[in-house]
Amino acid sequence: MTRTILLASDHGGFALKSALIQALRKTDCVVEDLGPDCTNSCDYPAYADKLALRLLAAGEDGQSGKVLGILVCGTGLGMSMAANRHVGVRAAVCANEFMARMARAHNNANVLCLGERVLGQGLAQEVMRAFLSAPFEGGRHQRRIEQFETYTQP
Ligand code: RB5
């Protein structure tokens, strides 16, 4: 299965995004860099929104794992908060390989959020690899993630 990986960042995640793109371009993934293209200060919600819309427009919410996103900011936190405002996006901030594996296996996360000010590039690449290689286990985990979409507004 050829995978498409969408990436975006803000200025605080630009260097790590660039390093991850370089690593991904050595694989058979299709890589789409959604910006920014320089380190000028910018607002992470705009890039989280752009990636989420592109992911959802790809016609899937990550169920098949064919299209996945990676968002990088200083901590990964703002990106995950913003991306998770979109129904169908399951964005997970991961600081180690175990979290990354579980985010896919149990939560079927379709967006990995990383913090450039939290992780060194080597660890971030390992976290990314763990995320991309772990399959969703389905079963009871599918039932649980489906409950996300049943929440009503107050
Ligand atoms: C930018 O300074 C920083 O606030 C941003 O990259 C991110 O960490 C927000 O969650």
Side-chain angles (χ1 to χ4, degrees):
M1 170 180 73
T2 305
R3 268 223 173 115
T4 298
I5 312 296
L6 313 171
L7 294 102
S9 73
D10 67 355
H11 55 287
F14 180 80
L16 179 56
K17 173 175 70 90
S18 306
L20 297 178
I21 287 172
Q22 218 179 345
L24 284 169
R25 291 215 160 118
K26 293 180 187 147
T27 72
D28 63 356
C29 293
V30 175
V31 179
E32 282 187 38
D33 181 0
L34 302 180
D37 56 13
C38 68
T39 53
N40 290 352
S41 181
C42 61
D43 296 337
Y44 63 82
Y47 287 95
D49 185 40
K50 187 175 179 184
L51 185 142
L53 291 174
R54 175 76 190 81
L55 181 81
L56 297 170
E60 60 165 297
D61 60 2
Q63 295 294 330
S64 72
K66 270 198 280 186
V67 184
L68 293 171
I70 300 177
L71 287 168
V72 193
C73 62
T75 58
L77 294 169
M79 283 295 198
S80 68
M81 292 177 191
N84 278 323
R85 299 298 292 263
H86 286 275
V87 171
V89 170
R90 292 175 301 282
V93 189
C94 298
N96 58 49
E97 292 164 75
F98 178 73
M99 292 174 78
R101 223 170 29 249
M102 287 301 110
R104 287 287 304 139
H106 286 194
N107 311 116
N108 201 11
N110 47 18
V111 179
L112 169 66
C113 299
L114 296 170
E116 179 180 312
R117 298 171 189 162
V118 179
L119 302 178
Q121 286 192 2
L123 178 56
Q125 291 198 24
E126 290 305 315
V127 170
M128 176 178 76
R129 283 192 197 102
F131 184 82
L132 296 181
S133 60
F136 177 48
E137 290 176 10
R140 67 189 187 282
H141 303 298
Q142 178 63 30
R143 182 182 73 237
R144 290 166 185 163
I145 64 169
E146 280 170 8
Q147 291 174 30
F148 297 169
E149 323 305 348
T150 66
Y151 291 166
T152 51
Q153 297 303 311

